[in-house]
Structures are given as structure tokens and as C-alpha cells.
């Protein structure tokens, strides 16, 4: 015969019964009113429309191992800046080919700032003499648009890359991937926010003729710059790497400095001094290094059958798109929401374009909104309060696979950043990734109007999980 | 007749009696065990030996206004770097004259690191050919020692300033004060930590011949550098300004950069590149800007009759000394304690010299240990945990007059730094100012052995309050 201890169920009967309530507080209160000890647990129903796909994916015997592998690949990726060169050279981009942020997009569906940036790129490339001519050609058959991500590149905001623009080239020596990103123009009236006035084009020309070549020469003299090493230092210096990049900008300038100074003689002293001034005056300069570093981390986890890890979150100003490790190059898209936050000057909510840019690659890789706890001063830029910054980071652990071993958050007693967004966890909890972002003006030519907070539309996770479920082998 | 409401005392009788307990928790627990509602308040007896002086000072009708005035002067002080020049020029320091950190000191009472630094300065100035000759002369009548503070200067650790050393000159355009500080040598085997090997002297010579002149020229071309403006940015970037100065170092380098680059041609490219490399490689370089900026803030509150504000905390490796706004140039000293913290390499507690350096001027001015909450990563250098960093800052509000309007601490919802240490509050609460600090080796020539945490000896506050009480007019 068996004793009462033999089975867990019988064991239960030997102690006082305990009540656990999940969800609505009402149930717990009713019981408490009857003097019943109650333990409440937080619980939310899974995201609408995901129940069936969730069941299938959770039953996939590959899931745990695939996600563990993804986490290992993401956190072991490295990122070195190895070259600065024109897009025509490093991406073989031809005249009339443009890359843009987010998932695939056609001109007719492009938002104001995306149109503005493409118009500016046409003018910069000499493919049109006026904005009107540019628009006409952009609507025609001779111009090709493709997502930056489709070429292993990333671009902030409109993210437009044209052949003559100089790019950072980063390499992951561990997994062999390469990524590219444009050079940051600064704030205000800039191409990536959809401005295309003469001031914008003149700056792009100077970046092509002076900034790019000087940085290229400096990187060549310096040798590979360890960009990954900047990230943990940023988290000690109040930067989260999406909308605060000041410390990395200064560290980058510091590291290249002797090799910039060394160019005086070959180049005019004024040009070299202007490069120092331009980089130093733009606290966001290093965003364009952090983004491709994050891209390399996520590229390491691309194409892992069965993995529910989000490897891309990107917005083109019209659609928000994600990609999963387990679903290859497929994009899952839905209309992008408009950020809420703080506005520059007299701009207001009605001036803001929907969410735009590849910069959400920072959140995808555990930086940006995911580590706002390390950068509390950011709430003065994007809105919210310090408690929100702390709570956001803590909440992101609910939807991520693990903690990044080297990206430590000092204020959380050096806990690792929440890394590896798990679409399964997003669907189960209903918690959406938190992104902080710049806001572009809706109207082409406006430029930046503010900065704020935004989430992906829930539907992209529904679609992604459904697609992942469809790939689960029938035997599972 | 009067109603029960007429007097507060009678009013008391109309409500349930409430018990307030102060001090030992035991009393509260006893009452709670008897089901008596208790409200505990934190209370500590005043510091031993201060009761009488406290009574006198608190009865001084000038006290409140004098301290309010001190707070206003401290927080309104500004700090601009206006010049870099040798001490012989800016302080009229003559051969054989040396300044040192902390309160006045004679050679026979000097600790190992102070002796080591003075020996090194003798060698650097060519006043001795060997350490032995230097020691002999330092013990003789021809060498003059004076505190940096006696000349409006500050020096980290041993703080030795000799005529040939180049100094930062900072000016407060609001109150007209001037302060000076040496240039930072970096870490490890350096003069300020008591090392005096050939490596140390060679570096000092390079600083005299190259670094000083290049910085001097850059500052002249740039115009006054607003050092005060760095401080709030540091608090957003994880620096507390005593043992973390990385962001200010990088901002300073960024700001001078175009004017350093501009010197190529007049100076060798290698020299200019080496200056960039040297400053960029030393995260503590800006400590020597933060310190004189803090000195200017406190100098603004010097000599305010009746004020109990601490305007100086400084240590010479033997004694810890403080000065009050209300007691002029008088020093109140007691033996310096030895910091506790983390050690470099194989060094341990037995290798550490007692507390040394003028750098506690940062804490005196609301930076350093007082704003550790803004720099949680510092606990990996000085010991403690993040909770300690937060608690320390919160505790310092108990002994300070107010919150600094521009030095905001993001993680505390942008609360202003605790500023204006009030000797009365220190005596009443027994809470001692918290200092974080580098640790020098006890033996001359060793260099740095670690970093840690330390407090002033309580006795300096007893002495200071007693002296302040003696100056309270008899009519009070």
C-alpha cells in the first residue's frame, strides 16, 4: 500500500488548504472578506489571437534549445568598427538605389519624413534638380527602394542610404557577420528626420568630402575599434544607447583623436578641427555605431529553426515590422503607432509622424528602452519619470530570455540587461517591448519635432507566432 | 472663560493619547507588546562634548541668516578655467617653497606618501640629486611647507605643488575668487600618491614641457572654459566628481580639441597627439578641474560671522582638518582615519596610509561621496553596494543646509545635491560627512594601493563648534 506521502496530491491533503488567485483582484478580496488566506499571482490572458499558435509553439520540442542557442549567439557576438567608406563601395549600391529603414516600402505608401529623406537623397546624388523632379522620379520605375536590413545595414529614422553616403562598417569577428550604418548628421533639420533644404544637402556634401574621408583614415590608422566595449561603459555613464549616446560619442572621439590629429599636414588644419567640432557637438554621433553593433548581435541569431526570439524590430514610418530567428527573412508588419512624449518648440502631437527608424535594433539587442534604468536622465527627453525608467527595465525581463552578461545596469546592482525578446513571452504576458525614440514631423521637410515612447503594434507578434507555429514539424 | 480648544495642551486631552518613542527600538517594542500604538522617530544624542557649544550656537540670532547667506553664495558661485601656467607665475611660488594638501604640516609629522611626494618634488625641481639628499634638506630650515588651501589652491592626495608645476587657474566671475590646482598625472606610480621614481619625474618633466604649454595655448584660444557647466552633466553621466571623472575629462577634451589640433605646425604633431592620448587615457584628469571649481564654491562662503557651514575638509595624511565659514582661517584638526575599501593587486589594509588629500573639497561642495547615488558604478571602486550609494546621498541631506539648484541627481527624481555641510547638524545628529577617496601606500614611494570610504574624525566638529560658540556675542 502507499502512504499519504507517496504522491504529491495526497500530500496536499495533509496541510491547510491555500487559495491562489490569478488575475482580477476582486476574487482575492471576496475571499479575504471571508477570512480565507489568499495568495495573489499576477496573470494576464495571452494576447488575443495567439492561443492556438502559442500551444503549438510551446509544444515544439526544439523551442528551449533553439532559444538557448539564440541567447548564446547574441551575447557572444562582438562588434568592431573596421572601415568607413561610401555605400557604393561597401554595399555596391548603384545610382538610383536607395535603402530605407523598416520593413519593405513603396513610394506610394511612404510617410512624409520618408518622402522628404528620399527627395533629399535624390538631390544629394544629383539625380534631380528640384524636389518636384525628385518626387516624380521616385514615383517612377527607375528608382529602387530596399530595406537597410535586407542588406545587413541599419539607419536611424528614415534611414535613407544612397551610394555616395559614407558608412561605418562593423564586423563581428566571432560569427563573421558584417553590418553598416550611415554617419550621424546631428539634430534638427537633417535628412533622417525628413528635411531636405539646402542646409541639409550642404551638410551631406561636407560629410561626403571631409568627415567620411577623415574618419576613414583615422580608423585605418587606429585599427579595429572595439565598439562592443563601449556599451557596458555607456550603461555606467547614463546612456542607454538609443536616445542618449553622449558617452560613447566622447569615447569614440577620444580613441580616434590621435589619429585625427595625425592627419594635419595631409589635410587642412581647418578641416580636421571642423571634424573634431562636428563630432564633439553631436551627442548622438555614436548612435550610428551602437545600432550596427546591436545589429551584429541580432544577426548572430538569424535563422535558428524553432526559435521564437525577435531578431529585428524596425519601422519605416508607415509600418512596424519584426523578424524572428525561426522564420528567416519574413517580415511581420502592422501599421506603426505614433510615439507619445515631449515636443520641441511649438510642435505638438498633431505634428508627429508614426514611429520610424531602424534604431529599435537597440531595444531588440537589450539597449535603448530596455535599459532606461541605467539612464534616468532620459525621461527629461522622452517623457515619463524616473520610476517609469526603472519599472520599464524591470518589466522587460518578463519578455526576454535572459540577462546580458556584460551589459550590466549599475543601479539594479549590476544586473545584466534584459536580452533576447521572446515572442512567446510577449504573447503570453501581453507585455510589449518598450521603445524610446525620436519623433519626425509628419510633413516632408519638417525635421525633428520631439522624442517619446512607443510600443510595437501587438498584431506583429500575433502574425509572427502564427508563422512560427506553421513551421513546427507535424511530429511535434 | 476658555473652551477646551483655546490651548493646544487642553486640545490634546480630547483625542486618544499617542506615544512617540525616540532612540532605542526596545521602548517601542515594549509598548507594542502591550497593544499601544507607537510612532517611532529616529533620534540620536548629540555628538559627545558638543552639548554646551550647540546650545550657544543655536541661540546665536545670526545663525539662520548667516547660513542662508552661505548657501546662497555657495550655490551662486561659478567656475571658469581661464589660464594654465606654472605655479611660480600664478602663485609666485619660489624655489624651496612647496604647497601640500590638508591642514598645516611639518616634515617631522609627514606620512610616507607626503614625504614621498615632497622628495619627488625636490628631485623634479633640481633641489636634490638623490632621495636621501632631498630628505635631509626637507628636514632642514631652507624648505618652506604651506597648505594649498592657504593659497586658495587644492591638490589631490599629497597635493604637492612646486614652482615648476603647471596649474589650472579657475575664476569665479560672480564673487571674484580665484583657485588653482595641479594637472593630473594619471594613476599608479605618481607623485600625488607618494611615488618618486624616475618614471614619475620624467612624466612631471613632460607635463611641464609639453602638456602644460599645449593646454595653456588651447585655453587661451578657446577662451574661458565653463567648468561649472560640466558638473550637472557629470551627475547625468555616472560621475560623482571625486573618484569618477570620466565624463568631465571627455567633455574637457572635446571642448579644447579644435584648439589643440590648431597647434599642429607650431608644435610637433607627435607632441599634440601625445597630449590627446595622455588626457584621454586618464579618466581622472578632470578631477583637477572639479576640485578648484568646488573650492571656488566654498571660497564664496568664507568669513561669514556666525555661520556654521563647513567650507573646507582636507587631509594631509596625518591630520584631518576642517574650516568653518564663521571661524576664518582657523583649522580644527584631529588624526586622520584610514579609509576602508578595495585594494589593487596584492595590497591590503595594512598597506594603506591614513586619509590624505584636498579632494574632500568635492564632498564639501556637495559632490563626491555626497552624490554617490548619481554614480552607482563607483561602488565597484570604493566598496559598498548600490543601496549604500543611494542611502549615503539620502543621509547627507540630514547634515546639509539645502539642495543645490543645478546639481541634480537623476535617480532621485532630479533632487538637488545635498549642499552646505552644517557643523550644527553634524553635531546634533552624529552623522559624519561621507567621503570616498583613493588610498595611498603608507610607505613613501609606493603609489596608489586602493580606493575606499572614510569619514572625518568626529573631534574636528567638536573643536569647530566650540570655537564658533566662543565667537557668539555675549548679548546673544
Amino acid at each position: 500500500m502507499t502512504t499519504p506521502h507517496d504522491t504529491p496530491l495526497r500530500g496536499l491533503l495533509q496541510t491547510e488548504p491555500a487559495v491562489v488567485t490569478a488575475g482580477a483582484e476582486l476574487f482575492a478580496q471576496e475571499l479575504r472578506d471571508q477570512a480565507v488566506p489568499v495568495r495573489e499571482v499576477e496573470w494576464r490572458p495571452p494576447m488575443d489571437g495567439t492561443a492556438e499558435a502559442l500551444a503549438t509553439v510551446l509544444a515544439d520540442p526544439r523551442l528551449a534549445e533553439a532559444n538557448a542557442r539564440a541567447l548564446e549567439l547574441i551575447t557572444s557576438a562582438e562588434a568592431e568598427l573596421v572601415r568607413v567608406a561610401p555605400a557604393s563601395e561597401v554595399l555596391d549600391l548603384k545610382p538610383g538605389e536607395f535603402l530605407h529603414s523598416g520593413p519593405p516600402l513603396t513610394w506610394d505608401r511612404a510617410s512624409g519624413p520618408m518622402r522628404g529623406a528620399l527627395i533629399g537623397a535624390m538631390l544629394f546624388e544629383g539625380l534631380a534638380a528640384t524636389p518636384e523632379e525628385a518626387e516624380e522620379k521616385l514615383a517612377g520605375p527607375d528608382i529602387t527602394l530596399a530595406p537597410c536590413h535586407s542588406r545587413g545595414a541599419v539607419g536611424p529614422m528614415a534611414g535613407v542610404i544612397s551610394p555616395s553616403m559614407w558608412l561605418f562598417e562593423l564586423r563581428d569577428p566571432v560569427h563573421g557577420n558584417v553590418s553598416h550604418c550611415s554617419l550621424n548628421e546631428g539634430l534638427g533639420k537633417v535628412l533622417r528626420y525628413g528635411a531636405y533644404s539646402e542646409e541639409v544637402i550642404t551638410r551631406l556634401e561636407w560629410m561626403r568630402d571631409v568627415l567620411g574621408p577623415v574618419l576613414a583614415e583615422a580608423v585605418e590608422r587606429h585599427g579595429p575599434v572595439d565598439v562592443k566595449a563601449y556599451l557596458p561603459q555607456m550603461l555606467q555613464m547614463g546612456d542607454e544607447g538609443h536616445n542618449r549616446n553622449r558617452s560613447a560619442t566622447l569615447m569614440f572621439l577620444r580613441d580616434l583623436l590621435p589619429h585625427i590629429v595625425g592627419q594635419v599636414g595631409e589635410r587642412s588644419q581647418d578641416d580636421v578641427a571642423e571634424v573634431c567640432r562636428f563630432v564633439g557637438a553631436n551627442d548622438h554621433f555614436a548612435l550610428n555605431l551602437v545600432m550596427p553593433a546591436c545589429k551584429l548581435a541580432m544577426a548572430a541569431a538569424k535563422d535558428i529553426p524553432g526559435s521564437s526570439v525577435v531578431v529585428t524590430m524596425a519601422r519605416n514610418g508607415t509600418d512596424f515590422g519584426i523578424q524572428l530567428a525561426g522564420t528567416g527573412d519574413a517580415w511581420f508588419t502592422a501599421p506603426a503607432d505614433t510615439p507619445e512624449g515631449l515636443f520641441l518648440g511649438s510642435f505638438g502631437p498633431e505634428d508627429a509622424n508614426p514611429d520610424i527608424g531602424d534604431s529599435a535594433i537597440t531595444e531588440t539587442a537589450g539597449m535603448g528602452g530596455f535599459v532606461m534604468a541605467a539612464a534616468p536622465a532620459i525621461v527629461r527627453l522622452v517623457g515619463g519619470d524616473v520610476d517609469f525608467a526603472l519599472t520599464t527595465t524591470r518589466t522587460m525581463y518578463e519578455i526576454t530570455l535572459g540577462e546580458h552578461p556584460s551589459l550590466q545596469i549599475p543601479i539594479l546592482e549590476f544586473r545584466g540587461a534584459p536580452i533576447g525578446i521572446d515572442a512567446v513571452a510577449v504573447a503570453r504576458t501581453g507585455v510589449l517591448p518598450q521603445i524610446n525614440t525620436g519623433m519626425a514631423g509628419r510633413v516632408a521637410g519638417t525635421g525633428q519635432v520631439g522624442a517619446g515612447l512607443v510600443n510595437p503594434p501587438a498584431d506583429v507578434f500575433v502574425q509572427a507566432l502564427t508563422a512560427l507555429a506553421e513551421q513546427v514539424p507535424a511530429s511535434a
Side-chain angles (χ1 to χ4, degrees), chain A residues 391-463:
Chain A
T391 302
T392 295
T393 295
R394 291 200 178 103
T395 305
M396 292 303 103
Y397 291 108
E398 293 184 31
I399 57 168
T400 43
L401 290 176
E403 302 179 10
H404 200 296
S406 59
L407 298 180
Q408 297 179 339
I409 303 168
I411 199 67
L412 300 185
E413 289 286 2
F414 301 92
R415 188 174 181 185
I419 178 75
I421 300 169
D422 180 6
V424 166
V426 172
R428 288 178 90 164
T429 61
V431 172
L432 292 168
Q434 182 62 62
I435 296 166
N436 68 51
T437 186
M439 279 191 269
R442 291 164 59 89
V443 178
T446 306
Q448 184 174 13
V449 299
L453 298 159
V454 72
N455 302 107
D459 193 47
V460 298
F461 294 96
V462 179
Q463 293 176 43

Side-chain angles (χ1 to χ4, degrees), chain A residues 140-410:
Chain A
D142 298 334
I143 301 297
T144 317
L145 303 183
C148 292
H149 273 291
S150 70
R151 305 291 289 269
V154 277
M157 302 308 290
V160 168
I161 295 175
S162 69
S164 308
M165 291 181 188
W166 287 62
L167 306 181
F168 288 128
E169 177 167 298
L170 276 73
R171 196 170 46 91
D172 170 6
V174 176
H175 307 112
N177 294 313
V178 173
S179 72
H180 294 95
C181 189
S182 51
L183 309 183
N184 196 289
E185 314 158 79
L187 286 177
K189 291 236 176 236
V190 288
L191 190 82
R192 72 180 188 283
Y193 277 96
Y196 55 82
S197 59
E198 195 184 330
E199 162 197 354
V200 175
I201 309 304
T202 303
R203 189 188 302 112
L204 288 174
E205 287 166 353
W206 176 83
M207 290 170 71
R208 175 193 65 201
D209 298 338
V210 179
L211 179 66
V214 169
L215 291 179
E217 175 73 21
V219 169
E220 192 172 325
R221 291 180 186 210
H222 178 284
V225 180
D226 187 352
V227 175
K228 189 187 183 186
Y230 292 150
L231 305 188
Q233 298 176 71
M234 294 174 76
L235 298 186
Q236 294 198 358
M237 294 180 74
D239 282 355
E240 37 66 80
H242 188 164
N243 280 285
R244 282 187 67 100
N245 284 283
R246 177 183 284 182
S247 69
T249 297
L250 292 173
M251 288 186 278
F252 179 62
L253 190 58
R254 171 197 70 191
D255 292 344
L256 286 195
L257 203 44
H259 311 284
I260 292 174
V261 171
Q263 294 179 51
V264 177
E266 295 154 50
R267 290 177 201 283
S268 95
Q269 200 154 314
D270 286 353
D271 278 355
V272 171
E274 186 55 24
V275 166
C276 294
R277 211 176 271 117
F278 182 83
V279 175
N282 175 7
D283 287 342
H284 297 262
F285 196 78
L287 168 64
N288 297 40
L289 289 166
V290 173
M291 283 175 57
C294 288
K295 172 68 182 169
L296 285 177
M298 303 322 297
K302 213 162 173 292
D303 298 321
I304 302 177
S307 171
S308 56
V309 172
V310 176
V311 293
T312 312
M313 296 196 293
R315 318 87 97 196
N316 59 31
T318 303
D319 301 318
F320 194 116
I322 68 170
Q323 296 178 309
L324 298 190
T327 54
D329 289 330
W331 284 98
F332 308 102
T333 68
D337 286 331
T338 301
E340 292 182 15
L342 304 176
F343 291 88
L344 300 173
S346 60
F347 291 116
E350 67 287 358
D351 299 308
N353 195 73
D355 199 15
I356 184 168
D358 287 335
S359 53
I361 192 70
T362 58
E363 280 86 6
T364 318
M367 295 283 290
F370 280 46
V371 287
M372 283 173 67
I378 198 168
V379 301
R380 289 282 165 95
L381 177 75
V382 300
D385 57 15
V386 172
D387 185 54
F388 173 82
L390 290 165
T391 302
T392 295
T393 295
R394 291 200 178 103
T395 305
M396 292 303 103
Y397 291 108
E398 293 184 31
I399 57 168
T400 43
L401 290 176
E403 302 179 10
H404 200 296
S406 59
L407 298 180
Q408 297 179 339
I409 303 168

